[in-house]
Amino acid sequence: MQRISYLVLAAVCLSAQAHIASAVTLHATGSTTVLPVVSTAAAAYHRQHPDVSITVSGGGSGVGIASMIQHTADIGMASREIDAEEAAKLNGKVDVFTIAKDAVAVVVSKAVYVGGVHQLSLRQIADIYRGKIKNWKALGGPDARIFVIDKEASRGTRHVFAEAVLGDAHARAPGASVISGSNNEEQALVAHSDQAIGMLSNAWLNDDVRGIAVGKGNKAIFPDIEHVRDSSYPISRSLHILLSKKGPPEARDFANFLLSPEGQAIVKKSGYLPVR
Amino acid sequence: MLNLWMRTSALISLIVVVLMLGFLLQQSWPYWQHDGLSPLLSGDWYPYEHLFGLAAAIIGSFWAALIALAIAIPTGLAAAVMSTEILSGPWRSLMRSGMELLAGIPSVVYGLLGLWILLPFLQSNLHLLTGHNLLAAGLLLSIMVLPTIMVMTQDALCEVSIHQRDTAASLGMGWSTRLWRVLLPQAWPGIRSGILLALGRALGETMAVMLVVGSMDRIPDPWYNLLAPAQTLTSRIGREIGESAFGSMHFSALMACGLLLALITITISMLAHIRTDKVKT
């Protein structure tokens, strides 16, 4: 009798252990542009694989890439390419999966848009960020000073924007009035002002935060999915997730899920251009 | 046994402080070695150009703390005098628990309130491009350090003995003379500690300040311009520590900010204690 109860006890312990071993928690961190896709996909993936949970946090592309260098997360999210310095530190130990394409919109407050500013050339945008143009009136808009919102140096949106507009991903922006962080923060700043200009992924536009057309030659191109698809919008980029080559197999499976038709549907629903 | 236990805990806290300073010094060493003390005077902070000037953040930190104290000292003193000397039992405890409640609110809540209420208010009333500035940071901090000053002052006032109060009254002193000549001078060591602790907290506060200060690395121009976005040491660390790779010069420079903050706050709290001891003996 006693022997049987020992056996039962052992079986219970083993099954408990097996259960614990099969429950995996993955952590994803980085770009707040990629975040909505990954967190929606994480919930969908968890429904299919109840033993795998994925926690998601923001911080910016720089944080996502740094988390791969420092092994502080299983999945890194980045809305820009890895630069040379980071690539040296990663030393080929990371796989990059491109899951979507996206436009970095030049956004203005609703009042500015309604006031007449519907398009700017790259040159004009650069002059605003360099502090050479300070009033919307000079650009055909309302007589109001320009509230220039720059982003933290680590943000992918900032890299892509500065590279396209100012010619260098790390260029200084002496015309900036304030530094923002996440897409949410940027969106709130633009929405609360009547005279702001900023940079934001096109999936985050709304009635208060309007994307303007960017002039290229004598054509003005609006930041929407169609112009990302035909590569005519000048400030576009790819969205990536990063996985350590030695990372858990579940992370790799999740990356494949993002590239599957179901994952790509989530990409589309989030407002980005699917890659497949 | 109790004695041994107390000594051990004192020793442990001492070791933790020394270890922490040692770690900060070790991590920031490449930075000091590379640039010496010259970055303390430069305002240019461009990590990608390897420029790590600390002046803008240091000045910003002190401005925000000064504004906070300029508001919190008079209001905190007044609130403490009101509640200990004028109000009676239930009102007094209501006021005290109100203050303690104020002290218990997490700083991120203050930050968000600042973001939603204070910034739009400053922006529309002062006709600014944005409400993000040192004034906003100082105003938020003043509410956050108010409980420290008020509670410490209250305790100090309560410690003024009944004997001294009676003597003052029997000399025929009026209420305001008693307040200025007897109560506040007698309670001063405690009040002073409260102010210094509040200063320490104001300098060290991160989250609330980070949300409202604007995070622009610019030295106020002119020096008293508190209505432009600026930077503090804590907000810089909060914004950038995640992206800086461990061991890089950028990381080392952020650790240098941390070391400066730690040294300043430790000095301040030591000052707070030294003064109290001297007067007591």
Side-chain angles (χ1 to χ4, degrees), chain A residues 113-127:
Chain A
Y113 192 88
V114 173
V117 181
H118 296 176
Q119 67 170 78
L120 293 173
S121 68
L122 284 174
R123 179 68 185 276
Q124 286 171 320
I125 301 167
D127 282 349

Side-chain angles (χ1 to χ4, degrees), chain A residues 62-63 66 70 89 145-147 152-154 159 170 172-181 185 189 192-193 195, chain B residues 44 46 48-51 115-116 123 127-130 132 211 214-216 218 229 239 242-246 248:
Chain A
V63 173
Q70 291 160 26
K89 282 184 185 133
R145 277 186 300 160
I146 305 179
F147 176 36
E152 290 170 4
S154 66
H159 275 237
H170 306 304
R172 297 183 186 189
S177 325
V178 76
I179 305 269
S180 80
E185 194 181 352
L189 281 175
H192 283 148
S193 171
Q195 50 212 74
Chain B
D44 289 331
Y46 295 101
Y48 289 99
E49 299 172 27
H50 286 268
L51 289 174
L115 211 53
W116 289 328
Q123 188 184 334
H127 306 290
L128 300 169
L129 265 180
T130 167
H132 289 82
L211 286 170
S215 310
M216 291 290 303
R218 287 192 191 142
R239 289 254 184 218
E243 56 159 311
S244 63
F246 192 82
S248 66

Side-chain angles (χ1 to χ4, degrees), chain B residues 105-112 140 144 201 205-209 211:
Chain B
I105 296 175
S107 63
V108 64
V109 174
Y110 281 111
L112 290 175
L140 265 196
M144 299 178 72
R201 170 146 199 225
E205 173 53 43
T206 307
M207 200 60 213
V209 171
L211 286 170

Side-chain angles (χ1 to χ4, degrees), chain B residues 47-89:
Chain B
Y48 289 99
E49 299 172 27
H50 286 268
L51 289 174
F52 300 102
L54 299 181
I58 294 173
I59 294 171
S61 279
F62 274 99
W63 261 128
L66 276 180
I67 298 168
L69 288 187
I71 298 166
I73 291 174
T75 39
L77 284 184
V81 169
M82 182 81 190
S83 75
T84 42
E85 305 298 322
I86 297 170
L87 293 177
S88 57

Side-chain angles (χ1 to χ4, degrees), chain A residues 41 44-45 47-48 257-268:
Chain A
Y45 188 79
R47 278 195 293 277
Q48 292 174 13
F257 173 76
L258 280 165
L259 291 171
S260 72
E262 204 183 342
Q264 290 292 297
I266 294 172
V267 164
K268 196 171 176 194

Side-chain angles (χ1 to χ4, degrees), chain A residues 84-106:
Chain A
E85 199 177 324
E86 289 161 344
K89 282 184 185 133
L90 287 168
N91 197 16
K93 287 175 184 155
V94 164
D95 286 325
V96 180
F97 291 76
T98 304
I99 59 164
K101 289 205 164 133
D102 166 42
V104 174
V106 178

